[in-house]
Amino acid sequence: MRVTKDDEAFGNFVLFIGVGFIITLQLEYNMKDEWIFNQKSAKTTTLLEQQQKISESMVTNILPENIAKKLKRKRALNSQSDGVIISEHFKNVTVLCADIVGFTELSSRHSAEAIVNILNELFSSFDLLCEKYGVEKLKTIGDAYIAVGGIPYSDSNHARAVIEMAIDMSNDPHLIENTLGERLGIRIGIASGSVLAGVIGSHRWTYDCYGPPMQESEAQQTGSLSNRVRISKATIDMLEEPHLFHFEPINGTDDALVLRSELNTGTWTNQFLLGSNVDVNDPVQIPNVPLSKDVQFKRDSKFSTWTLKFYNPEREIMFRKEFKDPKLAKQMKPHLIVGFIMLCFFFVQDLVETTRTSLLMTAVLYPLSLVSTVVLYLLRNRVFQKGEIFTGWIFTLYLSLVTYACLTPLLSPTPEKILPRIELYTTWVIATPCINLWSVVVLILVQYTGGILLFLVGSVNSPYFPNSFESPIYHRFPIQLILAKWLMVRIEKKMYISIKVHEIKETSMKQEEVRTHSLLLNILPEHIIKDLNGRKLSTFIAKSYPDVSCMFIKLVGAEFNSPTEMTSLLNGVFSLWDRLTQSLSLEKIKTIGLSYMVVGGVDDQGDHLINMAKLAFSIRQNMPELNSKYAMDMDVSIGISLGPCVGGIVGKKKFCYDVWGDTINQASRMESHGKSGSIHITKEVAQELKIKGVYKTESRGIIPIKGKGKVETFFLYEE
């Protein structure tokens, strides 16, 4: 019985429709899974990028970018018990220090809210001047504004940039027309020299500078006149074109008041902003950043176009364990369903056409295959998750079936269509999804070997099998199987790489967001971070607090020969004070040179005044330990006040959390008018502690306080 044209057409139908349906279904599953995953990943990545961009913008709007990166690399934010020092030496910089004339009296005449509004107007305008001239805003301290030229990157034009900015500041229109309705004056001092710039301590990090120019610029500012700029001789000497300015000498000093000369049109542009003056040997330049993990994974996951093997053997193992094996059960489901339908169709057709001599063969092979299909379908979630072990078992089973098909003709003649169909079913329904490409190639070789064996055996024992090998199934099926398997494996591996890259990128972004947010929490109070999220960074935040305590602590008697020694000492001292402050749920605001500022009551901190007194006594009690550690004879001067204030941020860039109001000014005056080793407090603090019945206070009498006149103050003692 020879294979007719109808049989050939039927064989083509099975191959191109049945098998093609399975391939198409698998490819559709893979592509849709990848599309859904990519959509979800893209959405998640976009949200993470947006949040990370907001957090990064806040961080870089507070700290220089290179300092922020170093802090995130060095940290373990929750374990910086000994503090952290990140500092860079700058040989030549110019420091600007400015403050509002009569600010203490101004604060007494106006509400804290009004004061914050005018500071925001002025500081925002000054921030724009920093951007215009390429000057780094360092910090604000109450009404004081401090900026430095020549950091965090060296700039040969730093002296002129700071002078041009200072002159523009003295002519700012907000000094004349403002929300207070008063004409304001501003004193500006400028000094030049070398500094150390960086961060110290373990909590509420701020970028600061340490060195003689910081103190000199403050002294220049104190000795300046209203709406005038006073500069040191060192700054004048650094100017490349001093003839562009007019200098008014100050009697008894080498300093001068400066104005623009007629030759200076006021339209100068700092070439540093154009990138031409950046020092390539700048010590704070960031090194080359290594490749991100997702890019590195993609680079290490290349595979051969023809063999489809990963060049990295470990990646091939990961692909099997993480991607291929877990998906076998899902991939087998359509194979088993379609295979069951194919077998039922073949069984009915061959049962009708079968002769008596092969009836037993038909009645045994098909029911056995049908039962096997049903069992495999029911147990697929268990059986097909065995991975490589199951793959080997399937390979062995298939070889057994081919061997059986080769030996069967010796026992009984069989129609030429039965065994090719059973072999077709076995290969596509079981073997194809489970084994890799090169196992399929081996199977094809075995299949051809089996076909040749069938031909040889059949030519001796049966008239059927020579014709069986001529079936189109044996001519077209092997090539289709290899191409289909090659396409499926290629898509699976590309999908695996895509998914892993997305996962690695998402994980890296989440980790980076955690690091950035942790850094933010160590710079700003949490409630300020929440207020800033989703808002423009130029929008200032101001919140009124009806009852806060404020304390200034100044380190007295500290001696050092260089800025390096100074930063080492202050890092040790301030880190200890940071731990004490946090343990009492108080809020560190900032450090100002040798001074340390703390407030309580801005974030539901319980009995903040009692905690503030405890902190003052704890700091004083720890001084012998610090003196022993640093071999010095240091002490502290402490001032405490109580009352309302406004807390928040002002300006457009390099902002920090601060508090303003008469209460803050009084605390500063208590410290500056106090005595070394004493805790100097206002009358309001003494009265409140008396009501609470804790600690002992003693009147110091009525003394003159700068900006306040004569007022009664007190000293605080432990019982």
Side-chain angles (χ1 to χ4, degrees), residues 451-469:
I452 294 171
L453 185 59
L454 285 172
F455 179 83
L456 295 175
V457 172
S459 64
V460 176
N461 298 281
S462 172
Y464 299 113
F465 285 93
N467 298 328
S468 174
F469 188 60

Side-chain angles (χ1 to χ4, degrees), residues 194-458:
S194 64
V195 298
L196 277 182
V199 297
I200 61 174
S202 62
H203 187 59
R204 292 292 180 263
W205 287 324
T206 56
Y207 186 61
D208 209 343
C209 289
Y210 306 90
M214 300 299 294
Q215 291 75 39
E216 291 175 15
S217 63
E218 184 178 359
Q220 294 287 353
Q221 171 263 313
T222 302
S224 185
L225 302 177
S226 180
N227 296 332
R228 295 300 302 272
V229 180
R230 177 170 174 165
I231 65 174
S232 66
K233 185 176 186 302
T235 305
I236 298 175
D237 292 340
M238 287 187 180
L239 288 172
E240 295 180 357
E241 299 176 297
H243 62 278
L244 296 177
F245 299 95
H246 174 68
F247 302 101
E248 299 176 10
I250 299 175
N251 293 334
T253 69
D254 293 329
D255 306 326
L257 298 174
V258 62
L259 292 171
R260 289 191 180 100
S261 69
E262 296 79 5
L263 300 176
N264 191 336
T265 61
T267 58
W268 175 74
T269 299
N270 190 353
Q271 294 300 308
F272 169 75
L273 297 175
L274 305 178
S276 60
N277 271 14
V278 177
D279 187 351
V280 294
N281 297 315
D282 194 327
V284 298
Q285 294 285 348
I286 297 296
N288 291 331
V289 179
L291 290 174
S292 61
K293 292 182 179 180
D294 57 308
V295 175
Q296 188 64 47
F297 181 89
K298 193 171 184 179
R299 179 172 289 188
D300 293 342
S301 297
K302 294 181 179 180
F303 57 85
S304 171
T305 304
W306 302 108
T307 65
L308 299 183
K309 284 282 187 180
F310 284 111
Y311 294 122
N312 185 348
E314 294 181 359
R315 191 72 76 239
E316 189 70 31
I317 296 173
M318 289 175 59
F319 168 72
R320 295 291 306 183
K321 290 183 177 180
E322 297 178 4
F323 187 80
K324 182 62 179 177
D325 292 346
K327 296 183 67 175
L328 276 180
K330 184 178 180 181
Q331 290 179 343
M332 284 304 299
K333 185 176 179 179
H335 278 72
L336 292 171
I337 293 174
V338 175
F340 182 81
I341 296 173
M342 288 170 58
L343 279 175
C344 290
F345 182 79
F346 291 158
F347 177 66
V348 172
Q349 187 180 33
D350 286 342
L351 191 62
V352 173
E353 298 178 359
T354 299
T355 63
R356 288 185 178 182
T357 56
S358 58
L359 180 60
L360 179 62
M361 177 69 68
T362 303
V364 171
L365 284 179
Y366 278 116
L368 181 61
S369 299
L370 289 170
V371 171
S372 300
T373 304
V374 173
V375 171
L376 285 173
Y377 180 83
L378 296 176
L379 299 179
R380 67 187 185 279
N381 290 326
R382 294 185 180 181
V383 176
F384 290 100
Q385 289 184 354
K386 300 299 182 181
E388 295 290 346
I389 297 175
F390 182 71
T391 297
W393 182 80
I394 286 293
F395 191 77
T396 304
L397 175 63
Y398 183 82
L399 290 179
S400 300
L401 288 172
V402 172
T403 304
Y404 174 74
C406 293
L407 296 176
T408 300
L410 298 175
L411 304 175
S412 174
T414 308
E416 67 268 22
K417 289 187 288 187
I418 296 179
L419 288 178
R421 287 174 177 177
I422 296 296
E423 193 173 356
L424 171 67
Y425 158 77
T426 305
T427 303
W428 276 98
V429 174
I430 301 177
T432 305
C434 301
I435 56 181
N436 59 40
L437 176 63
W438 291 103
S439 296
V440 171
V441 173
V442 173
L443 285 176
I444 297 306
L445 295 176
V446 172
Q447 188 179 47
Y448 268 112
T449 303
I452 294 171
L453 185 59
L454 285 172
F455 179 83
L456 295 175
V457 172

